[in-house]
Amino acid sequence: MSSEPQVKTAKQAGLGQCLKCHKLNVITHKDQRCSCCQAKISLRKYRSLEYTLAWTIAAIIAFFPANLYPIMIFTSLGSPEASTILSGIETFIKLGMYPVALVVFIASFIVPLGKMLGLLILIITVKTGSKVDPKHRTQLYHLVEFLGPWSMLDVFVVALMAAVVNLGFITSIEAGPGISYFALMVIFTMFAAESFDPRLLWDNLNNDD
Amino acid sequence: MSVEPVSYDHMIACPQCDGLSTKPLLMEGQKAVCKRCGGKVMERKRDPIRRTLAVALAGLLLLLPATVLPLIGVSAVGLFNQASLLDCIAILIANDYHLIAVSLTIFTLAVPVIRLLAALYISWCIRTKRITPALVHFFRSYHQLDSWTMLHVFLLGIMVSMYKLVALAELSIGLGLVAFILLLICSTLVSVTLDKHYIWEQLENGCEQ
């Protein structure tokens, strides 16, 4: 801790910050509650890494059916045609609709994958006591947190298209089973990000001095 | 090692890196950043209560048109169909995609509505100085909702769907879309105008008296 300004942490002072109302409390026993808002508080989120890892693994498991099952079934003149996330993007590229192909590819493939990878990196660096600048890792955490809801994009697109395109025999769009797994995956990664405690990223720093 | 019963009301900890600092005295419109990690520690917003009241009320008035009126419509070979947010949910239920129907209802309808109502209620209670211990629990729960509103993602979903549908049929924009965009603006503004630190201060002072 050479270039960093010397800052004492609340943990070193035996204080726990309430995550809800930001009040500092002297931590004396387990299952303590905040003196201001009565929320449960502790020095760090309870079993933060374990919960984050569990939700991340659940998301990774859901990622496979989400991509393998069709998310949309398009029927034109009686012949149904199922498309997965990746084959849908392929169609866009074939049709020359590059901007939408890019938006959908980023929102429904790169972002979920990146989120799960980011969470794994955060867990591993905390576990191994990595010396990588915690500032950058905190930024990574905020990125993961910020991206959370955006991966729901495809779910909403399919829901809306299924409702709008319903022109009797000629054309209709239906949701496919992949969409449920996809939504689950997004929800799991959001829970994972929520259970992670970013203060853990800074704790290694203090053990050195 | 015994902990002295000192009051830490003049101190504040960074929610990201746990660094301790003395609580700054802020003027309206100013914010304080952490000297260790650079994250925002505290912020004092301008005229928070009255602005929140106005924005939340406007959002609630837009709610009905945004959900019931059609968002977009398509017409092809003499057939016409249009769908509102409620239609989307109904179609999903009819096709047995209950998980997606529930998530769509929660993320684009229930959570935004509850947030608007809660912001309105909290601001009203503080304005009329009716602070009860129950309000403390109420506002604590409010924080939980922040990351689960997905109106903005749904709007992007509408845009991607429109782009997809242009190739398929003739598109028309419904009045519901206008209301939906305005609702999204109000819902976003609520988190901009609502000053959590100020409200917690008021709640804490109110309960102690």
Side-chain angles (χ1 to χ4, degrees):
Chain A
M1 237 175 108
S2 49
S3 60
E4 299 285 340
Q6 286 288 330
V7 176
K8 203 176 177 188
T9 66
K11 190 184 184 182
Q12 288 164 341
L15 299 170
Q17 180 182 219
C18 175
L19 294 166
K20 298 282 158 51
C21 71
H22 295 233
K23 191 188 170 70
L24 285 167
N25 287 263
V26 181
I27 301 285
T28 49
H29 58 276
K30 250 184 150 187
D31 303 325
Q32 197 173 333
R33 283 177 179 274
C34 172
S35 64
C36 169
C37 73
Q38 307 300 315
K40 267 192 183 164
I41 52 163
S42 49
L43 290 172
R44 295 289 176 262
K45 276 186 198 171
Y46 178 69
R47 298 240 157 130
S48 169
L49 285 186
E50 285 91 334
Y51 276 116
T52 312
L53 184 64
W55 285 120
T56 310
I57 292 171
I60 292 170
I61 292 170
F63 185 71
F64 291 97
N67 278 282
L68 295 173
Y69 280 120
I71 57 159
M72 201 163 77
I73 300 154
F74 178 79
T75 317
S76 185
L77 295 168
S79 60
E81 194 183 307
S83 70
T84 61
I85 291 171
L86 288 175
S87 77
I89 295 163
E90 209 185 307
T91 319
F92 277 132
I93 295 171
K94 272 187 196 151
L95 292 169
M97 297 155 101
Y98 298 113
V100 203
L102 195 71
V103 168
V104 176
F105 183 63
I106 291 175
S108 49
F109 197 75
I110 298 289
V111 166
L113 209 62
K115 256 168 37 181
M116 291 184 278
L117 200 69
L119 285 163
L120 285 179
I121 291 173
L122 289 173
I123 297 168
I124 291 167
T125 54
V126 171
K127 256 291 188 264
T128 58
S130 160
K131 294 286 183 292
V132 181
D133 193 347
K135 212 178 252 180
H136 297 318
R137 285 185 286 144
T138 309
Q139 282 166 351
L140 176 66
Y141 171 69
H142 282 299
L143 189 69
V144 169
E145 209 184 18
F146 166 78
L147 288 175
W150 286 105
S151 343
M152 271 302 199
L153 180 69
D154 240 21
V155 177
F156 293 157
V157 169
V158 171
L160 194 65
M161 301 253 292
V164 177
V165 184
N166 206 344
L167 300 173
F169 255 175
I170 302 159
T171 14
S172 76
I173 289 176
E174 253 184 74
I179 205 74
S180 303
Y181 293 102
F182 194 85
L184 276 181
M185 177 192 67
V186 178
I187 293 167
F188 289 160
T189 54
M190 287 181 73
F191 276 130
E194 208 157 89
S195 43
F196 187 76
D197 193 337
R199 292 173 295 184
L200 291 171
L201 296 170
W202 296 81
D203 280 350
N204 287 323
L205 216 58
N206 303 318
N207 298 337
D208 297 338
D209 50 334
Chain B
M1 213 175 88
S2 64
V3 185
E4 291 167 43
V6 197
S7 167
Y8 289 92
D9 285 343
H10 65 290
M11 301 291 277
I12 190 161
C14 173
Q16 297 173 50
C17 73
D18 213 26
L20 271 179
S21 50
T22 41
K23 206 179 226 173
L25 262 177
L26 297 177
M27 303 284 287
E28 279 198 354
Q30 282 184 325
K31 65 176 181 178
V33 292
C34 174
K35 57 185 164 182
R36 184 154 86 138
C37 72
K40 191 172 74 186
V41 180
M42 217 179 143
E43 192 177 14
R44 171 84 63 222
K45 292 174 177 171
R46 285 177 215 276
D47 201 4
I49 299 298
R50 281 195 351 199
R51 286 189 185 189
T52 309
L53 269 175
V55 175
L57 197 62
L60 286 169
L61 290 174
L62 285 162
L63 187 74
L64 197 67
T67 42
V68 178
L69 293 178
L71 297 165
I72 49 175
V74 290
S75 49
V77 283
L79 290 163
F80 178 73
N81 195 30
Q82 56 183 10
S84 65
L85 185 55
L86 280 184
D87 293 330
C88 290
I89 296 164
I91 290 273
L92 287 168
I93 295 172
N95 289 341
D96 280 339
Y97 285 100
H98 297 293
L99 177 79
I100 306 294
V102 169
S103 2
L104 189 65
T105 314
I106 291 176
F107 299 144
T108 62
L109 208 58
V111 172
V113 173
I114 295 169
R115 272 186 83 230
L116 287 173
L117 279 173
L120 188 76
Y121 180 66
I122 289 270
S123 313
W124 181 253
C125 285
I126 291 197
R127 195 171 153 79
T128 54
K129 304 244 181 307
R130 259 180 282 179
I131 296 166
T132 57
L135 199 62
V136 173
H137 290 271
F138 185 77
F139 191 53
R140 203 179 76 209
S141 316
Y142 176 87
H143 291 253
Q144 222 81 47
L145 295 175
D146 272 1
S147 50
W148 297 99
T149 155
M150 299 193 188
L151 288 173
H152 51 310
V153 184
F154 194 75
L155 183 66
L156 188 66
I158 294 174
M159 300 212 281
V160 171
S161 310
M162 285 166 83
Y163 208 103
K164 281 187 171 186
L165 291 169
V166 161
L168 206 77
E170 208 168 301
L171 266 180
S172 60
I173 290 170
L175 211 56
L177 186 60
V178 182
F180 186 84
I181 292 173
L182 291 173
L183 174 66
L184 168 62
I185 293 172
C186 288
S187 160
T188 313
L189 277 178
V190 162
S191 35
V192 174
T193 56
L194 191 97
D195 190 333
K196 286 176 179 172
H197 286 285
Y198 178 77
I199 291 185
W200 276 122
E201 248 165 54
Q202 296 292 312
L203 289 177
E204 203 176 4
N205 293 340
C207 284
E208 275 165 10
Q209 281 158 17

